[in-house]
Amino acid sequence: MSATAERGVNALREQIDAPVASFFSSCVSCGLCADACIFFQETQDPQYTPIRKVELLRRVWENEYTLFGRVKSMLGLGNTITEEDFTEMERLVYDSCTMCGRCTMVCPVGNDITMMIRKMREGMSAAGHAPVELIGAAKRHTKGNSPMGDLSKAIQSQVKHAIADTGIDIEFDKAGVDYLVILSAQEIAEYPEVIGAMAQIFAKAGVTWTISSEAFEATNVGVQIGNRDVAKYLVTRVVEAAEKLGVKKVISPECGHAYQALRWEGPNLIGREYGFEVVHIIELLDQLRAEGKLKTSGKDTDKITFHDPCQINRRGGINKEPRRLLNMVAENFVETDDAGTMNWCCSAGGGVGANERAGDLKNAAFQLKKRQFEKVAPDKIVTMCAFCHHTLENALEDNDMDIEVAGLTEMMAEYLDDED
Amino acid sequence: MNNPYFDLLMFARGPLFDLALLVFVAGILIRIVEILVLGRKKDFSKAKGKPVQQGIKTIFTRTLPRPGAIKANPITIVGGYVFHIGFFIAFLLFVPHIALIEALTGLSWPGVGRVIIESATVIAVIAGLALLYTRWKDPVRRKLTTWVDYLVLILSLLPLITGYVAVNKLFGDPTFMMALHILSVDILMIVFPFTKLMHAFTFAMARYYNGSIQGRKGAES
């Protein structure tokens, strides 16, 4: 076995635990996970059957963690893993999986295949088989402050704009406030309106908040690439900034994998509980709504539909909150088929969007969303993930569909009640 | 004894059955322990939902397919249900089987009549053959299936087929057929711990883990 393949196998070995062993022991190869996968649905190519994408993890488990497998390995009959195996799996593990989690929901024996893909990526990246774009993003993020490069000037200028637009003061690094806002690079670069939107909503609701000049970016390419060290390093940055400022809560932005990384993986990456709580911006807005601190007036009369980001709804548990909020401001809210927990991915999550090699597959996968949108024929699609927002906007344009895409936080701010 | 197959029957239900039962029970225990000792790391994230309750709930709720799933995979899902239900009716509700289980464990329960047992057996065999067919024909399943998967499915059908033939004295020597029936059960028990037949036990663990992982996040499972 080559040195890189060995590193990959070592990384996979570290990923094996009782859930993984129970999943592989239970799989009866029924193939029902295939229909749950957007890439299989749109290509009908059996190689995209989700459980096949974790084959190397399964082999490590079988060879080393089952009695029968160990006996076979000792007799030289084990199913060893080679460099070629890693090469072959690359496109399945990174290009044809957005870690959307639908397979995990349909498996009759209950296998969390998506969680195993996350683990599989640890082995792939250790073996040197992660997509170059993701490796580049990881380098930029660990050396600088965002996967897009240095955004420290951009954030300063976007905050200045927000102050000028709203007339509300926003202070960096303000100690003693309740909330720390962090943003996704996509928001800072492409959708900075969200900063002003939050400023307006929080001013009305009496929420005290700040932005850290050291850790203002929430994305985490480490969880997409499958590199615990990178993921841990990036999470630690936010954790240290939040604990230094002494905030009670950190607001996870409208970004799917950032929520997954910060809220659910983060404490396990650093190996302890946080000294603060993490709340998703939409959870917070819904809480403010329930407390009567978020009031709106008027409603959008457009036909509006909602796109559920996989990592926030299906894999994050935030399902009813955005719908309660949207119903406050949308007069004509129509759901697409499968909306909610079983919604289909925007087609580019989990690192697929950054991966140029996956371009054709991504376009093929979007056709499913396209048909769903065509059926509803909305004027506007609202979502709560800046990357879904970005993906949908571009894909709609590529497919000559004239539908506006908007972030939910901005939309709430637009209809904020001006009365005191 | 005049019947030349009597010794075979005695061997199948005697020493071989005892050996098969030992492999079956010890094998399953080893496999389960082998999974549990791997453990899982403590989760430091603050739970939003109720992981333990949802894990237990998911063991049961995952029995039902999601809306639309049957339409997409009718043979696998309907065939799967019918095969499992038919198999367990024939296995657990046939009076002579209950008598055997009582002799081994002391536990017993009422059985059902021959008509139900035989109908269940026939329907389960048809369902099993349908599952075999879709494994062979459907490109997704064909690509996933290994020779062990085919073997295991065939081995699971043999006790049903041989049992039906033996009980109804359809053809062959009845003693020989009964010996074959018990031999097929012995073989099934012996291969059980080494194959995907283990899902009969580990599915509950897998569903529990799935439900508890999702439940911690307050997400559905």
Side-chain angles (χ1 to χ4, degrees), chain A residues 261-318:
Chain A
L262 192 65
R263 175 69 175 91
W264 303 112
E265 272 206 42
N268 300 316
L269 289 166
I270 67 168
R272 66 171 172 89
E273 287 172 26
Y274 294 153
F276 53 87
E277 274 183 43
V278 176
V279 60
H280 189 268
I281 177 69
I282 298 305
E283 277 181 302
L284 175 60
L285 297 189
D286 187 54
Q287 183 199 321
L288 295 174
R289 174 202 61 80
E291 292 167 358
K293 291 177 183 167
L294 171 58
K295 287 181 186 148
T296 55
S297 65
K299 282 188 175 186
D300 193 323
T301 53
D302 279 351
K303 192 181 205 184
I304 291 175
T305 196
F306 186 70
H307 165 76
D308 288 284
C310 311
Q311 303 304 322
I312 299 177
N313 186 337
R314 182 161 45 249
R315 300 205 52 88
I318 300 174

Side-chain angles (χ1 to χ4, degrees), chain A residues 168-368:
Chain A
I168 298 165
D169 195 30
I170 302 167
E171 257 186 81
F172 278 93
D173 306 315
K174 190 176 175 186
V177 295
D178 288 340
Y179 291 89
L180 173 67
V181 163
I182 47 173
L183 298 154
S184 74
Q186 207 73 44
E187 289 175 312
I188 300 166
E190 205 177 350
Y191 310 114
E193 308 80 21
V194 74
I195 303 171
M198 282 192 282
Q200 287 171 305
I201 295 170
F202 294 163
K204 279 273 172 199
V207 167
T208 59
W209 63 290
T210 190
I211 300 175
S212 163
S213 59
E214 289 165 14
F216 52 83
E217 214 278 335
T219 63
N220 194 320
V221 68
V223 306
Q224 296 181 322
I225 210 168
N227 185 313
R228 281 183 67 89
D229 296 331
V230 171
K232 180 181 174 181
Y233 179 75
L234 295 175
V235 161
T236 304
R237 241 187 230 173
V238 175
V239 172
E240 281 175 358
E243 291 180 350
K244 199 166 105 186
L245 288 166
V247 294
K248 292 189 186 116
K249 292 183 183 182
V250 170
I251 302 174
S252 188
E254 287 196 14
C255 171
H257 85 272
Y259 180 64
Q260 212 50 242
L262 192 65
R263 175 69 175 91
W264 303 112
E265 272 206 42
N268 300 316
L269 289 166
I270 67 168
R272 66 171 172 89
E273 287 172 26
Y274 294 153
F276 53 87
E277 274 183 43
V278 176
V279 60
H280 189 268
I281 177 69
I282 298 305
E283 277 181 302
L284 175 60
L285 297 189
D286 187 54
Q287 183 199 321
L288 295 174
R289 174 202 61 80
E291 292 167 358
K293 291 177 183 167
L294 171 58
K295 287 181 186 148
T296 55
S297 65
K299 282 188 175 186
D300 193 323
T301 53
D302 279 351
K303 192 181 205 184
I304 291 175
T305 196
F306 186 70
H307 165 76
D308 288 284
C310 311
Q311 303 304 322
I312 299 177
N313 186 337
R314 182 161 45 249
R315 300 205 52 88
I318 300 174
N319 184 2
K320 294 195 174 113
E321 294 89 335
R323 292 177 163 78
R324 284 195 289 258
L325 293 167
L326 200 48
N327 276 320
M328 288 170 78
V329 295
E331 200 169 86
N332 190 6
F333 170 30
V334 186
E335 298 269 25
T336 59
D337 287 340
D338 305 315
T341 305
M342 289 305 282
N343 189 43
W344 293 92
C345 175
C346 66
S347 71
V352 169
N355 180 351
E356 268 186 48
R357 194 180 55 197
D360 288 345
L361 263 176
K362 181 184 77 175
N363 294 340
F366 179 74
Q367 298 311 305
L368 203 160

